[in-house]
Amino acid sequence: MQAAERLCSTRRFHEVTMDDIATEAGVAKGTLYGYFPDKEELFFQTIAAGIEDLCQVLRQKASATMAFPARLADTCHRISTFYQQRRTLLRMIQTEDARLSSCTGAHHHRWLTLRKGLQSALAELMSEGVADGNLRPDSSPLVLASILMGMLRARSHDMMDLDPGLRSDQMMVDLFLKGAQAGTETSRKKTGRSSGRRLP
């Protein structure tokens, strides 16, 4: 599986063969087929293992003495670090998500189960935020977890050409907690609307 992930850093899924993976891993192709019936299953298991690695990262909670926004920022930083270290895995996840989300059958069900497991690992923190009044109580922690994960995936994949300050962990936390609507503390400072006065 590590060999498959390495090969995907330079090639697309359809360009990688079982022969290539066997050579990269230093095993006979027959050995691969002893564990995986086909390339699709090998790639699925590779992604599943990567998602479980990320779930382990999410289960490493920050100190309970930290305020919720700080805990959220710490979690965002750990997720971002994981994506930076496993950029190929992130691309594989996004490709698989696009492919299997529109499918039906066993693979689709397995994929949804994987996604829900990842959301559940982050939803524990969201539940704490709801309980202590930092997050709105009229939304599911799973939905909140999915929204934050989507923001972080987009930041890791689509925002690399932006100024680092515009895609920092703190910016992601601010956007998640306060939304994009003008009128937040940051917006008031930038527009000079602090304390109800306009700057000259």
Side-chain angles (χ1 to χ4, degrees):
M1 292 191 292
Q2 292 173 351
E5 188 173 332
R6 286 195 300 270
L7 288 172
C8 278
S9 66
T10 57
R11 308 183 205 176
R12 297 179 181 178
F13 171 79
H14 69 273
E15 296 174 334
V16 179
T17 67
M18 291 291 267
D19 282 315
D20 295 331
I21 297 169
T23 299
E24 178 71 16
V27 300
K29 186 167 70 170
T31 301
L32 292 185
Y33 284 110
Y35 291 94
F36 309 102
D38 51 38
K39 186 177 74 170
E40 183 174 284
E41 180 64 17
L42 190 157
F43 273 69
F44 186 91
Q45 292 296 336
T46 300
I47 294 170
I51 289 177
E52 178 54 33
D53 290 342
L54 180 52
C55 286
Q56 292 293 338
V57 169
L58 293 176
R59 294 183 186 114
Q60 299 166 6
K61 294 184 178 181
S63 171
T65 61
M66 296 171 63
F68 178 77
R71 281 184 284 148
L72 188 62
D74 177 76
T75 299
C76 288
H77 177 71
R78 285 186 280 115
I79 294 172
S80 300
T81 299
F82 180 89
Y83 282 154
Q84 289 169 4
Q85 294 172 346
R86 305 280 295 272
R87 295 192 63 80
T88 301
L89 176 67
L90 173 60
R91 183 162 56 84
M92 293 171 71
I93 291 173
Q94 291 173 320
T95 299
E96 197 74 350
D97 190 45
R99 187 175 72 86
L100 289 179
S101 292
S102 59
C103 297
T104 58
H107 277 295
H108 176 72
H109 178 73
R110 291 169 68 199
W111 180 247
L112 292 182
T113 301
L114 274 179
R115 286 177 54 185
K116 189 171 182 179
L118 181 56
Q119 291 165 356
S120 296
L122 184 55
E124 294 180 21
L125 177 61
M126 299 302 168
S127 295
E128 295 171 9
V130 171
D132 61 22
N134 279 283
L135 297 177
R136 53 191 295 170
D138 60 343
S139 184
S140 162
L142 282 173
V143 171
L144 295 172
S146 182
I147 290 170
L148 181 60
M149 289 299 298
M151 291 173 62
L152 295 176
R153 281 196 301 266
R155 189 265 297 271
S156 296
H157 187 264
D158 300 327
M159 304 180 188
M160 297 308 295
D161 59 336
L162 295 181
D163 181 275
L166 297 177
R167 51 185 172 85
S168 67
D169 293 329
Q170 190 58 54
M171 175 62 78
M172 294 296 103
V173 170
D174 286 346
L175 282 172
F176 179 76
L177 291 178
K178 303 173 184 177
Q181 183 178 10
T184 63
E185 185 63 26
T186 301
S187 298
R188 287 195 295 272
K189 287 179 180 178
K190 286 187 176 180
T191 57
R193 292 199 295 270
S194 179
S195 302
R197 295 186 304 148
R198 287 186 178 274
L199 294 177

